Amino acid sequence: GGTGAAGLAKLLGTDPQNGLPADPPTDFRQREETYGGNYFAEKKLKSYLSYVWDALHDKILLMLICMAVAELIVNMAKDEKRKDGWIEPVAIFTTVIIIVNVQSFLDWKRERMFDSLSQKLDASNLRFVIRGGKQVSLEDKDICVGDIIAFNAHMAATIPADGILLSGENVKMNESALTGEPEPIVKTAQKPYILSGTTVNAGQGKMLVIAVGESSVAGKIKKEVYDADEDEGSPLFHKLDTMAKYVGQLGMVVAVVCFTAMLISKLVQGKDVAETITETLIYAIGILAVAIPEGLPLALTISLAFSSNRMSEEQNLVKTLDSCETMGSATTICTDKTGTLTANRMTVRAAWLARELFEADVVHHQPVGPIVKANSSVSEDVKALCGNLISVCTMDESQLLPVAEDGTQDFVGNPTECALLKFASDLGYDFDKIRKETVGRSDETTTKGSSKAFSSARKMMSWAVPREDGTYRVYAKGASEIILGRVASVMDATGVIHPMEDSERGNLTDKVINKFAKDAMRTIALAFKDVEGFPTDDLDEEIQNADGTAAFCAETGLTLVGIVGIEDPLRKEVPGAIQKCYAAGIDVRMVTGDNIATAVAIAKSAGILRNEHFDEAGEVKPKRAMEGKVFRKMVHKYTATGEALFQQEAFDEIWPYLRVLARSSPEDKLVLAKGLNGSKLYQDHDMVSVLKKEHNIEIFPDRQVVAMTGDGTNDAPALKAADIGFAMGQSGTQIAKDAANIILLDDNFASIVTAAKWGRNVFDSIQKFLQFQLTVNIAILCVALIVAFSDLGGREMEPPLTVLQMLWLNLIMDSLASIALASEPPTDEQLKRPPVNRSDFIITEQMWYNMIGQAGLQVIVIAVILFRPELLPDCDDGTGPGSKHYTMVFNAFVYMQLFNEFNARKLRGELNVFSGIQNNRMFFVISFTTIVLQFLMGQFGGKVLKIHPDGLNVGQWAVCIGIGLFPLPWQQFLNLVRKSVVLVGKSGSGASIIELRKVGGGKSRIDHKGLPTRDCSSAIQRRHSKEIAITKSKSAW
């Protein structure tokens, strides 16, 4: 059946050219059973019972269980306690079961949410596979042994399975991930083995799949580490975890003090030693259970999981959870143009072909291709040359799909190439037919031709094919100024070739290239060259590539055929999204491969370049828009050997001004990411002041947090170096997706703004829960201390909250409140303030006012009704657990927490604490449910919760709920006090309270809503012109 790769293909039932006969193959299941599937057995999710077992290892819960057992034994040993002595221990067991199950359910649900995200991520990884003679896009799991995969260094660079090279041109593989060898490995018929997990450095080709999944080389390695747990938590998670430990330690101190004071008091009163120790210890453990805010890390986890799932619905597929949180601190977005700012639906709108200029008929919506075809001044030979050049000199994956019934036609592959193929189709040339019939380009004859794929270093590509007379024709296309610099001649409309004069070259630059570019069109030049023998890789000593390396001789001395202007319309939502970025204090920088004129035109339309970036003559001010080669020379110092050394000081002189980087390379993106991250310009107060005064440029008072977009393989290092890397889900390569933190499913810049909003919302959600949680902690610890020392002072008094009541409160705080407050959806208001400063303390000044003020109210109210029971209606049955007095104290305290949860939704002194509640159904449901449950507990809890067996009457309930509502109006009073202090600070009379100072080179300010902010743009300056320039006090920040 043949030898080599072709013979192996036949043994596997595969046609070397057309692949497996059908899609999907009729024997797909049989192949999976025989050779395995191209996936791993799904990682087994932990069962619900496993989470229950883990939750039961909580030390506080174990202590409660042990003490409940001890109490049960002590009570059962006494005749007078035997009848009812079992109720509290059993109730504690029941409460522990409820807490364990709630915690277990949340963790169980969270893992399944993450698994759902993982499956969405896998579905975004598509490969080009040949089946039935057609190229199809498949997920990794749908690839089987015997399939033929098409790969290249641009769009399909990651290898998903082991295989053998069937055909290819200049294929070089990066196998460092497997072997550690940094040098690219050349693949030929003699060295055909291509391994999964490696990437294509250069060239393109097709491979026969021979091993998949766990049977592949990478699969065997991955299987060994598949079960490794890599989740170490985000920085904010560790910060909250640490805070929880500190609060827990404070709770431990209070619990010990209360235990000691109450124990001494009861022993002095002559109470039973064993019973006293047991009861007092259980009460102390109850205080500890409430005091330790284990819900803090839980709230972050819930918020991140909730945000990640909702973000996927809004076209953001989150790979790493902490990137959600980090995006809330983003200060700079470095974005691509094509497909991100623009619609990625490219069309040839204008063409200069063989010295004739053509433009699309905008009025009649007629593209330029049919206009050129109908023009008789351009010979058919020239049109044929143009059609053949485009069809041959484009990548395999760039294709036009058949026209649909509604007349639309979809593109597959590189959008720029697809626009050229559409242009050739309008001229009357079938790209697929030309590719199949051209020797040196068809799949069967690729070895007779020679291709040099597009690279960012060369900004062009070429393809040489043999001619009938024995010579070779090199077709070339690329950036117009690059090609124009390499042409020696030009073809006219009749097909006659003329020498290219410098005057004509200059005329083309001014009247064609610049004209197209100023109309926001990308310019691509088409050229060819006939050579005697097979094109070699000899280098030209004089002509250089865009990156300064020597050019191939075969790609110089070209004949210019035409220059086309390709329009990629700006997405309609982009200008508004960019305006939101500037209003949010996020700088936007466009990094593009287009020439400077096209880049400036697009940036101006998008709103990246605004009026202040242009001088009076309408020209872009210095440093606002630069070309990559100029940028590289300015930020690098070159050694005698030509090695480029990055200069941070030189970079710091450029980046505050820079808004557009044109004709850039992926290396420029990496320099931007590292340079912005490494900049400490904010510490240079003099420079910051100059930038503000002379250029109205505000520098963020901390390290820049960089978001970077990318779609190409070479973008991966920059995506990794940035704080948040965004890969394009539709046009991005697999390597870019692997390197990114978030994948934009719609390739749309507006989705990045959505991610920023969700990122800020994560931080806000944590602050809301923290505000609620610490208020309860402060209040309950203060009440416990007051009761303990009152008891010690001779006033015999039982604690107003029993252990079970505190555990119920703990359930409300840690589990239910974390869900309610962590599920708050974002609002546009979050994009009207500066980014979150990651070095700021998580508790703001306004939060301190809220927490201490609310806790103070609760402590005073509870102390008054605790020590003055006569103020409460119908409390003549005495005091202590089980009395109406203590029942009302319990209800009043819990309802104050529940209604304060509404206050906790607002962080900046907003008047309407109910605004937006209709958008958070989860909060409404949980709040309503806990309010109703508290009523049931307070009315029918009986001996279990140690409340009055008859519950409360209507009047008593009215008083409890009325007291519970106190925090709502009290919050308005706190807001008034807070604003009064700010006004005092402004007038100068309160200088001892709030001082005017500089923080990190910029003024820290608080707006009329109590919002720490800064001037990040003229938009913010205008909007906050009436704000008060003050700084955060040390105690609060």
Side-chain angles (χ1 to χ4, degrees), residues 132 161 183 348 385 638 645 659 771 1019:
E183 294 298 320
V348 177
L385 174 61
Y638 294 89
L645 302 176
R659 288 295 175 270
Q771 184 170 256

Side-chain angles (χ1 to χ4, degrees), residues 386-399:
C386 185
N388 278 277
L389 189 157
I390 291 172
S391 300
V392 171
C393 196
T394 44
M395 303 293 287
D396 282 343
E397 72 267 12
S398 297
Q399 299 180 11

Side-chain angles (χ1 to χ4, degrees), residues 887-889 891-892 895-896 952 955-965:
T887 302
M888 290 188 71
V889 171
N891 284 319
Y895 274 125
M896 281 195 288
L952 302 178
Q956 290 170 327
W957 271 115
V959 170
C960 291
I961 295 176
I963 293 174
L965 289 169

Side-chain angles (χ1 to χ4, degrees), residues 167-213:
S167 62
E169 179 69 27
N170 190 33
V171 178
K172 294 181 181 179
M173 304 298 301
N174 180 356
E175 298 182 352
S176 59
L178 295 179
T179 65
E181 175 57 50
E183 294 298 320
I185 308 299
V186 177
K187 297 297 177 181
T188 63
Q190 289 72 42
K191 296 181 179 179
Y193 296 104
I194 298 176
L195 304 177
S196 57
T198 60
T199 56
V200 186
N201 261 18
Q204 62 176 351
K206 295 176 181 176
M207 59 170 270
L208 172 68
V209 176
I210 60 173
V212 295

Side-chain angles (χ1 to χ4, degrees), residues 362-622:
V362 180
V363 177
H364 298 93
H365 304 287
Q366 187 177 24
V368 74
I371 295 175
V372 175
K373 181 181 180 181
N375 188 282
S376 59
S377 62
V378 178
S379 70
E380 293 301 319
D381 289 342
V382 173
K383 296 174 185 174
L385 174 61
C386 185
N388 278 277
L389 189 157
I390 291 172
S391 300
V392 171
C393 196
T394 44
M395 303 293 287
D396 282 343
E397 72 267 12
S398 297
Q399 299 180 11
L400 305 181
L401 298 180
V403 179
E405 293 181 2
D406 60 0
T408 59
Q409 188 172 28
D410 289 332
F411 298 165
V412 176
N414 183 280
T416 301
E417 290 192 336
C418 288
L420 291 173
L421 292 174
K422 176 61 176 172
F423 177 63
S425 176
D426 289 342
L427 292 178
Y429 297 93
D430 184 340
F431 78 94
D432 194 43
K433 181 179 179 183
I434 292 173
R435 286 178 181 177
K436 290 179 178 179
E437 293 179 354
T438 301
V439 178
R441 183 61 179 85
S442 65
D443 291 339
E444 298 84 353
T445 63
T446 50
T447 56
K448 295 182 180 180
S450 174
S451 68
K452 290 179 172 57
F454 176 88
S455 71
S456 57
R458 291 163 42 248
K459 295 195 180 297
M460 65 174 295
M461 74 171 291
S462 64
W463 203 304
V465 295
R467 305 179 71 197
E468 292 181 357
D469 61 2
T471 61
Y472 281 79
R473 173 158 289 178
V474 180
Y475 293 116
K477 77 174 193 323
S480 55
E481 64 269 29
I482 300 296
I483 296 291
L484 193 59
R486 300 184 181 202
V487 299
S489 55
V490 58
M491 177 177 283
D492 67 16
T494 63
V496 177
I497 296 175
H498 306 273
M500 173 67 77
E501 302 293 340
D502 288 341
S503 58
E504 185 172 11
R505 198 188 308 269
N507 195 49
L508 283 171
T509 300
D510 294 336
K511 296 185 178 181
V512 177
I513 296 175
N514 288 345
K515 180 180 183 298
F516 289 175
K518 286 180 180 178
D519 289 334
M521 286 187 279
R522 168 178 289 184
T523 55
I524 302 293
L526 308 173
F528 75 98
K529 175 183 182 178
D530 291 331
V531 295
E532 293 297 326
F534 190 86
T536 64
D537 289 341
D538 293 342
L539 301 177
D540 192 292
E541 296 179 358
E542 298 181 0
I543 299 178
Q544 293 183 334
N545 292 316
D547 67 344
T549 58
F552 293 113
C553 291
E555 294 180 339
T556 60
L558 304 171
T559 297
L560 183 65
V561 177
I563 298 171
V564 297
I566 299 178
E567 180 188 55
D568 187 9
L570 197 69
R571 292 180 185 267
K572 62 180 180 180
E573 61 270 26
V574 162
I578 288 176
Q579 183 57 38
K580 285 184 178 180
C581 284
Y582 281 126
I586 304 173
D587 291 327
V588 181
R589 294 175 168 84
M590 187 176 80
V591 187
T592 177
D594 286 337
N595 68 34
I596 190 76
T598 304
V600 167
I602 289 289
K604 187 176 180 180
S605 299
I608 294 174
L609 287 175
R610 296 169 293 168
N611 292 336
E612 61 262 34
H613 299 127
F614 295 88
D615 58 24
E616 294 179 356
E619 298 295 324
V620 182
K621 291 180 180 179

Side-chain angles (χ1 to χ4, degrees), residues 294-308:
E294 63 267 20
L296 284 179
L298 174 65
L300 176 59
T301 302
I302 291 173
S303 182
L304 289 174
F306 172 76
S307 299
S308 299

Side-chain angles (χ1 to χ4, degrees), residues 881-935:
S883 67
K884 290 212 170 191
H885 174 213
Y886 269 40
T887 302
M888 290 188 71
V889 171
F890 167 55
N891 284 319
F893 186 75
V894 174
Y895 274 125
M896 281 195 288
Q897 312 309 326
L898 295 178
F899 286 111
N900 188 46
E901 195 171 350
F902 290 88
N903 290 325
R905 295 181 60 249
K906 303 300 178 183
L907 299 167
R908 294 169 177 82
E910 293 90 338
L911 292 176
N912 186 2
V913 297
F914 298 101
S915 65
I917 196 170
Q918 71 278 5
N919 299 321
N920 187 1
R921 187 173 61 179
M922 185 70 73
F923 182 92
F924 183 80
V925 169
I926 289 177
S927 298
F928 179 78
T929 302
T930 49
I931 288 172
V932 172
L933 284 176
Q934 177 59 31
F935 171 78

